């Protein structure tokens, strides 16, 4: 119990005085995480219907998912779109954050607001707009159209994450490299980027997950051979109760968690 008497921070507030905050935080985490964790045991059920708790255990729905050409095609489409979205959104968001950080024009805040507008506008409105524009450009049911739409959602996330990292970066270091003869690009790659690497990696993973998990826009602009995994999951839940979606959801939870843990573990700068 001596831990309760120790200071919780640089102030004199102890862990015991903050105990109510710890309990409240734990309850909030349980409230947010529990519905997600319920899906995991459901995915191992042998029942033809969604069932919790399972009365019998089986890998039936994992086998069905892995052996289904339709599900595998949708998975390939989602992974392809997510990787391409990450490759598009990460450099765009990083360049935008870097440019806005060094810019001294009055319109900087306005430009920043314009870039993050897709995060403010309801996704359904973006989906409807994309549908009508893509119908005229023949981009419906294409990977290119899906990547462009998802990059629109992912770029603001990269901008925010990388922009926050740049606020703690001293631009005089890059200026010193340029005074020694390095071009702006070389100075950025060798001086600035290594110091904000963790934020760039985090932004890239968020871009990947944004595309991989997105469903609203996919419902409007993807279909046929280029239908995404989340679109097929939504249709499976709407048209019929297919327990296969529980196994897919479990795998998506594990992949998302694994990627974020890997970023936290290997992406942080090492201090010697």
């Amino acid at each position: 119990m001596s831990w309760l008497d120790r200071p919780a921070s640089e102030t004199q507030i102890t862990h015991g005085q903050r105990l109510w905050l710890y309990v409240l935080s734990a309850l909030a985490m349980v409230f947010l995480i529990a519905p997600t964790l319920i899906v995991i045991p459901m995915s191992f059920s042998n029942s033809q219907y969604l069932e919790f708790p399972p009365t019998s255990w089986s890998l039936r729905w994992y086998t069905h998912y892995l052996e289904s050409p339709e599900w595998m095609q949708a998975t390939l489409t989602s992974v392809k779109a997510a990787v391409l979205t990450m490759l598009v959104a990460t450099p765009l968001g990083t360049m935008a954050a870097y440019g806005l950080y060094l810019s001294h024009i009055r319109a900087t805040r306005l430009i920043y607001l314009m870039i993050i507008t897709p995060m403010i506008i309801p996704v359904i409105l973006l989906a409807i707009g994309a549908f009508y524009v893509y119908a005229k450009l023949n981009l419906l049911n294409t990977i290119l159209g899906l990547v462009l739409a998802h990059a629109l959602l992912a770029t603001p996330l990269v901008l925010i994450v990388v922009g926050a990292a740049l606020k703690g970066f001293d631009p005089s270091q890059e200026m010193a490299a340029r005074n020694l003869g390095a071009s702006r690009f070389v100075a950025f790659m060798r001086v600035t980027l290594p110091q904000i690497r963790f934020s760039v990696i985090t932004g890239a993973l968020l871009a990947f997950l944004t595309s991989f998990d997105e469903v609203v826009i996919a419902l409007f602009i993807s279909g046929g051979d280029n239908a995404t995994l989340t679109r097929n999951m939504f249709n499976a839940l709407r048209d019929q109760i297919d327990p296969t979606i529980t196994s897919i959801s479990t795998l998506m939870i594990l992949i998302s968690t694994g990627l974020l843990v890997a970023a936290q573990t290997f992406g942080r700068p090492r201090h010697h």
Side-chain angles (χ1 to χ4, degrees):
M1 296 299 290
S2 59
W3 172 79
L4 295 175
D5 298 326
R6 296 175 185 172
S9 62
E10 296 180 356
T11 65
Q12 297 302 313
I13 300 177
T14 64
H15 289 289
Q17 293 172 312
R18 279 191 174 181
L19 188 59
W20 67 272
L21 181 60
Y22 299 153
V23 173
L24 183 61
S25 300
L27 291 175
M29 291 179 63
V30 171
F31 177 77
L32 294 173
I33 297 175
T36 302
L37 297 181
I38 289 176
V39 175
I40 298 177
M42 290 175 64
S43 68
F44 293 98
S45 173
N46 193 37
S47 173
Q48 183 69 30
Y49 307 99
L50 297 179
E51 183 181 69
F52 182 84
T55 56
S56 58
W57 301 87
S58 172
L59 295 176
R60 172 184 179 182
W61 302 114
Y62 288 93
T63 303
H64 181 266
Y65 164 63
L66 295 173
E67 294 180 351
S68 171
E70 181 182 356
W71 284 116
M72 287 294 98
Q73 177 63 36
T75 302
L76 179 61
T77 297
S78 288
V79 172
K80 188 186 302 183
V83 171
L84 292 175
T85 297
M86 179 180 67
L87 294 178
V88 171
T90 303
L92 285 178
T94 301
M95 288 189 294
Y98 179 71
L100 292 175
Y101 173 70
L102 296 179
S103 176
H104 299 290
I105 62 176
R106 294 182 178 180
T108 298
R109 291 183 178 273
L110 179 60
I111 296 173
Y112 179 85
L113 181 62
M114 292 176 61
I115 297 176
I116 67 171
T117 296
M119 297 182 61
I120 303 172
I121 298 176
V123 180
I124 186 66
L125 298 181
L126 295 176
I128 294 173
F131 174 80
Y132 283 107
V133 172
Y134 284 8
K136 295 182 179 180
L137 299 177
N138 295 322
L139 288 176
L140 291 176
N141 303 332
T142 64
I143 291 292
L144 176 59
L146 199 59
V147 170
L148 293 177
H150 285 174
L152 186 67
L153 297 176
T155 300
L157 292 174
V158 179
L159 169 65
I160 292 173
V161 173
V162 176
L166 286 171
K167 290 181 179 179
F169 172 74
D170 184 4
S172 62
Q173 299 180 42
E174 184 177 310
M175 185 61 66
R178 294 182 63 191
N179 288 336
L180 293 173
S183 64
R184 180 181 290 275
F185 178 76
V186 173
F188 174 80
M189 296 298 294
R190 294 189 176 183
V191 178
T192 305
L193 185 59
Q195 298 189 54
I196 62 172
R197 178 189 62 184
F198 173 68
S199 297
V200 174
I201 293 175
T202 301
L205 289 178
L206 289 176
F208 178 92
L209 295 175
T210 296
S211 173
F212 194 70
D213 294 338
E214 202 282 323
V215 62
V216 178
I217 292 179
L219 286 171
F220 281 81
I221 67 173
S222 73
D225 292 337
N226 289 322
T228 65
L229 184 61
T230 51
R231 184 184 191 277
N232 283 4
M233 290 174 66
F234 180 86
N235 290 335
L237 187 61
R238 182 192 61 186
D239 300 334
Q240 59 182 351
I241 305 299
D242 187 355
T244 307
I245 62 175
T246 60
S247 61
I248 301 173
S249 299
T250 299
L251 294 175
M252 292 178 69
I253 291 171
L254 294 177
I255 291 173
S256 301
T257 304
L259 288 175
L260 293 177
V261 170
Q264 293 289 328
T265 303
F266 302 106
R268 288 187 180 278
R270 292 174 172 80
H271 302 285
H272 299 283

